[in-house]
Amino acid sequence: MTVKPPLAVVVKGWPRLSETFIAQELAGLENKGIAFDIWSLRHPTDKKTHPLHDVIRARVRYLPEYLHQEPMRVARAWFRARQLSGFSAAAQLWRHDLARDRSRNRWRRFGQACVLASEAGPEMAGLYAHFLHTPSSVARYAAVMRGLPWAFSAHAKDMWTSEEWELTEKLTDGPGGATFGVTCTAFGARFLKDTAAQPDRVSLLYHGLDLSRFPDPPNRTGSPVFRMLSVGRLVEKKGFDRLLDAFAALPGDFDWHWVHVGGGGLGKALRAQADRLGITRRITWRGPCDQPEVISAMGNADLFVLPSRVASDGDRDGLPNVLMEAASQLLPILSTPVSAIPEFIDDGVHGTLVPDTPADLAEAIIRLANNPDHRAGMAQTAFDRLRAEFGAEAGITRLADQLRSLIHGAQ
């Protein structure tokens, strides 16, 4: 007999290579007996998927990415949603939001919410959104239409680039307020608790890492070339432009090579920058890769580098899971003390944290290249901390309990 899922999980896009933490969580929730449908605001754009995506059995349902692309579906949803008892209250919330954000995206959020609320079956008992900006808006409007509770998981950009009024109203005790929220860093949890009407509704829930999905760390062999690896989208907050400048400042007699894994909108500009700096021959741009390919690349590197910084619009990383993945392979880490990165890495203990200036990055690279024993010692300490404090199981168990309470409270 097919189990009708009582939970709707709302995500930006599915599947996404850059959001393995969501896939890990959803796979873990299924293992805990949580039944859900995935409602995706966008269709996939990545050409590859991770093996973990194939493990998840949930049905995936795609909302209209742009309302004009499915006008009849949207029109039917609008008509049906208007019959729901909470439609007037949801429309009032939306109009209040629209008065402060007159964007096409705000219209799209409400249209997608109408589709979700009208097409989800009567068994739906709650909604859970990944990211506190657009997905939570859709979940919030749909939840009010259906008279159901909703919850969220907040990460990074969704907190740092959202308007204060929108965060406050999603965390209110009033109509449309989330029943609970989790976030993946203590840095983010403090911020949201300061915003929430009831701070105890927000809790820290590290993604952690399911080490059972990763191979044992490799036995590293020496190489005459110092091999560096970065994994991350080519966007401003990752800081790769400054890393390229750091590479250009390395001594001429230092033999190095850098591999980058990931896509992103700044790819063309960064390649042009590397050409201008005369370092292109020392760089391999791998593009998007699945997780086995990433882990393989980690096995062939001497140093993992992630020069995260605060972007001009306030966006920043939380605690990138890729740092924990590097630690799982005993790959030494060089990063920056931005946001929640120091929650996993103590400088000089579990890795090296320096300011994101080219000079500091270049100096750290040389220092680490010349001290292989120190690199190995920090990598082992990071691995030990990962196993002791950042496993995924405890967090998924807590989240499953919270979602069960959310669902059962509505039934």
Side-chain angles (χ1 to χ4, degrees), residues 270-290:
L270 290 171
R271 286 176 175 81
Q273 180 183 350
D275 286 341
R276 290 195 304 272
L277 295 171
I279 57 175
T280 296
R281 66 183 180 86
R282 293 185 178 273
I283 297 174
T284 299
W285 304 95
R286 289 281 303 274
C289 292
D290 61 30

Side-chain angles (χ1 to χ4, degrees), residues 27-83:
L29 289 174
E30 283 193 331
N31 288 337
K32 298 292 183 185
I34 303 294
F36 54 86
D37 279 345
I38 298 171
W39 291 81
S40 178
L41 309 187
R42 298 176 183 172
H43 290 270
T45 56
D46 295 322
K47 295 180 180 179
K48 295 183 177 183
T49 61
H50 296 302
L52 184 58
H53 290 124
D54 298 330
V55 172
I56 297 168
R57 303 179 299 276
R59 177 174 55 167
V60 182
R61 307 184 68 174
Y62 290 98
L63 294 168
E65 188 163 344
Y66 296 99
L67 303 184
H68 68 269
Q69 293 175 334
E70 300 184 68
M72 294 306 298
R73 183 184 180 194
V74 173
R76 287 194 299 270
W78 177 272
F79 177 77
R80 293 170 183 167
R82 287 177 63 86
Q83 316 309 310

Side-chain angles (χ1 to χ4, degrees), residues 77-382:
W78 177 272
F79 177 77
R80 293 170 183 167
R82 287 177 63 86
Q83 316 309 310
L84 297 172
S85 60
F87 180 84
S88 294
Q92 184 176 355
L93 287 176
W94 171 67
R95 285 192 295 268
H96 190 52
D97 294 345
L98 184 65
R100 294 166 292 181
D101 173 26
R102 293 188 175 278
S103 67
R104 295 177 67 181
N105 187 37
R106 184 65 58 178
W107 283 87
R108 184 163 62 245
R109 295 182 198 190
F110 193 73
Q112 289 175 322
C114 289
V115 174
L116 196 168
S118 64
E119 293 186 0
E123 68 280 354
M124 183 173 72
L127 298 93
Y128 171 59
H130 263 285
F131 294 100
L132 194 45
H133 50 6
T134 304
S136 282
S137 292
V138 174
R140 179 185 183 225
Y141 297 144
V144 173
M145 290 180 199
R146 291 282 296 263
L148 296 174
W150 72 280
F152 67 84
S153 180
H155 303 289
K157 181 179 181 179
D158 49 326
M159 292 186 287
W160 311 125
T161 63
S162 292
E163 296 289 344
E164 182 179 354
W165 61 263
E166 186 158 17
L167 293 178
T168 299
E169 290 173 18
K170 287 174 179 173
L171 294 166
T172 185
D173 284 335
T179 300
F180 74 84
V182 298
T183 189
C184 52
T185 67
F187 184 80
R190 286 192 296 271
F191 172 74
L192 291 180
K193 283 177 178 288
D194 288 343
T195 305
Q198 292 188 21
D200 59 356
R201 289 190 182 183
V202 177
S203 58
L204 168 63
L205 205 69
Y206 286 118
H207 297 308
L209 211 62
D210 180 1
L211 288 173
S212 68
R213 297 189 294 104
F214 291 83
D216 292 334
N219 293 318
R220 299 185 187 282
T221 58
S223 168
V225 179
F226 190 64
R227 303 163 299 179
M228 292 174 282
L229 172 70
S230 297
V231 180
R233 289 178 299 130
L234 296 171
V235 295
E236 183 186 359
K237 71 178 179 180
K238 298 297 183 181
F240 293 128
D241 55 336
R242 296 183 184 177
L243 183 59
L244 293 179
D245 286 338
F247 289 152
L250 295 172
D253 60 352
F254 178 55
D255 198 2
W256 61 273
H257 190 84
W258 179 57
V259 174
H260 175 269
V261 172
L266 295 180
K268 185 176 180 180
L270 290 171
R271 286 176 175 81
Q273 180 183 350
D275 286 341
R276 290 195 304 272
L277 295 171
I279 57 175
T280 296
R281 66 183 180 86
R282 293 185 178 273
I283 297 174
T284 299
W285 304 95
R286 289 281 303 274
C289 292
D290 61 30
Q291 197 160 59
E293 291 171 323
V294 170
I295 298 303
S296 176
M298 288 179 172
N300 293 318
D302 300 304
L303 181 68
F304 187 84
V305 187
L306 188 65
S308 299
R309 75 168 189 259
V310 179
S312 56
D313 64 354
D315 189 15
R316 68 202 74 178
D317 278 327
L319 175 54
N321 263 37
V322 71
L323 293 177
M324 289 180 276
E325 292 175 4
S328 80
Q329 299 305 296
L330 285 175
L331 179 58
I333 294 167
L334 169 61
S335 191
T336 56
V338 169
S339 190
I341 291 173
E343 294 178 33
F344 179 58
I345 299 172
D346 290 331
D347 179 38
V349 180
H350 310 97
T352 298
L353 302 181
V354 299
D356 64 315
T357 67
D360 285 300
L361 290 166
E363 190 276 332
I365 289 169
I366 294 298
R367 186 173 71 250
L368 290 166
N370 290 332
N371 290 276
D373 291 342
H374 183 50
R375 294 200 314 269
M378 290 191 296
Q380 183 63 57
T381 305

